[in-house]
Amino acid sequence: MSKHSSYSDDQGQSFGRLFGRERSLHNILGGGKVADILLWKNTKLSAAILAGFTTIWLLFEVAEYQLVTLLCHLLIITMLIIFIWSKAAGLIDRSPPNIQEIRLSESTCRHLFTNVNWFLFKFYEISSGKDLKHFFLAVSCLWMLSVAGTYFSSLNLSYIAFLCIQTLPVLYERYEKEVDYLATKGNQDVKKWYRKFDSNVLNKIPRGPVKEKKFK
């Protein structure tokens, strides 16, 4: 039997969605402007952000621009634009930007702090070893990331991560069925491997006797 026929037969079976999700990918990503950007619903804005990050990467990595120099030049250009705009507002019949529209809202700050607290809670929960599978998975991912860090600079890793965030969601949305099929098959193989590892290795690790607690 060929691989294509076996894939077609497996397609007839019911495979769950990736990570067992029930909501759409757009809702998982927040359902707002961020989700529209990541899924390229707003093509012009997504392309502009990608072009901006690519320009920054080229300036630092290819042109070897220094961070302090670039920040100072950007601030100087911004100050000159605001100065000219404020002084010539009467001539061009257009008011300068309002600082209240640029300020971060309280809801945005609360959302950022909520995500930070969630990350810290998950980090402690996984590090405590309550779930050995997640613990070994996190350690393995961090080790692979540290190995990649020896071959790539921090800027290159950040740019690669940005490209993944900017392209993988829209690719997954386009090829959702194929990815869910492969992910489900891979998850089944990983579970089989972990059961063998658990029975052949983890269960054979000697453990000390559990002391019974004495209640007064």
Side-chain angles (χ1 to χ4, degrees):
M1 183 181 293
S2 62
K3 292 183 179 179
H4 177 73
S5 61
S6 62
Y7 175 80
S8 301
D9 294 338
D10 290 335
Q11 282 290 85
Q13 302 176 5
S14 58
F15 289 95
R17 286 183 170 184
L18 190 63
F19 305 120
R21 62 185 180 86
E22 297 179 356
R23 296 181 298 166
S24 64
L25 186 60
H26 189 269
N27 290 334
I28 292 176
L29 294 175
K33 292 183 179 180
V34 176
D36 292 338
I37 292 172
L38 295 179
L39 296 177
W40 289 73
K41 303 293 184 183
N42 191 340
T43 308
K44 292 183 179 179
L45 183 57
S46 299
I49 293 175
L50 179 60
F53 273 88
T54 303
T55 303
I56 294 174
W57 176 78
L58 289 173
L59 285 174
F60 285 117
E61 193 65 24
V62 179
E64 296 183 354
Y65 222 96
Q66 298 300 321
L67 177 62
V68 176
T69 305
L70 179 62
L71 288 177
C72 291
H73 287 175
L74 290 176
L75 289 174
I76 291 172
I77 293 173
T78 304
M79 291 177 65
L80 289 176
I81 291 175
I82 295 176
F83 177 80
I84 296 173
W85 196 344
S86 300
K87 297 301 180 182
L91 299 176
I92 61 178
D93 194 21
R94 189 169 182 179
S95 59
N98 187 4
I99 188 61
Q100 299 296 332
E101 298 176 355
I102 304 175
R103 188 177 59 181
L104 289 176
S105 62
E106 293 182 1
S107 60
T108 303
C109 295
R110 283 198 300 267
H111 180 70
L112 292 175
F113 282 113
T114 301
N115 290 335
V116 172
N117 290 332
W118 176 86
F119 172 78
L120 293 176
F121 173 77
K122 282 294 183 182
F123 178 80
Y124 177 79
E125 186 179 25
I126 294 175
S127 301
S128 62
K130 295 179 180 179
D131 191 335
L132 289 178
K133 181 172 67 174
H134 288 165
F135 176 80
F136 285 116
L137 180 62
V139 171
S140 300
C141 291
L142 289 174
W143 179 78
M144 287 187 291
L145 187 61
S146 67
V147 173
T150 60
Y151 296 98
F152 300 95
S153 64
S154 300
L155 180 62
N156 284 333
L157 282 177
S158 301
Y159 184 65
I160 292 172
F162 168 76
L163 287 180
C164 293
I165 294 173
Q166 192 74 3
T167 56
L168 292 182
V170 65
L171 290 176
Y172 171 69
E173 188 181 43
R174 181 171 298 180
Y175 303 103
E176 181 176 356
K177 292 183 179 180
E178 291 82 356
V179 175
D180 287 344
Y181 165 77
L182 294 175
T184 304
K185 295 288 288 183
N187 187 36
Q188 292 174 354
D189 294 338
V190 170
K191 286 181 177 179
K192 291 179 182 179
W193 175 85
Y194 178 76
R195 282 194 293 266
K196 292 181 179 178
F197 179 74
D198 185 41
S199 60
N200 296 332
V201 179
L202 295 181
N203 288 336
K204 294 182 179 180
I205 297 177
R207 299 177 182 177
V210 179
K211 296 182 179 179
E212 296 183 357
K213 293 183 180 180
K214 296 181 180 180
F215 297 94
K216 295 182 179 180

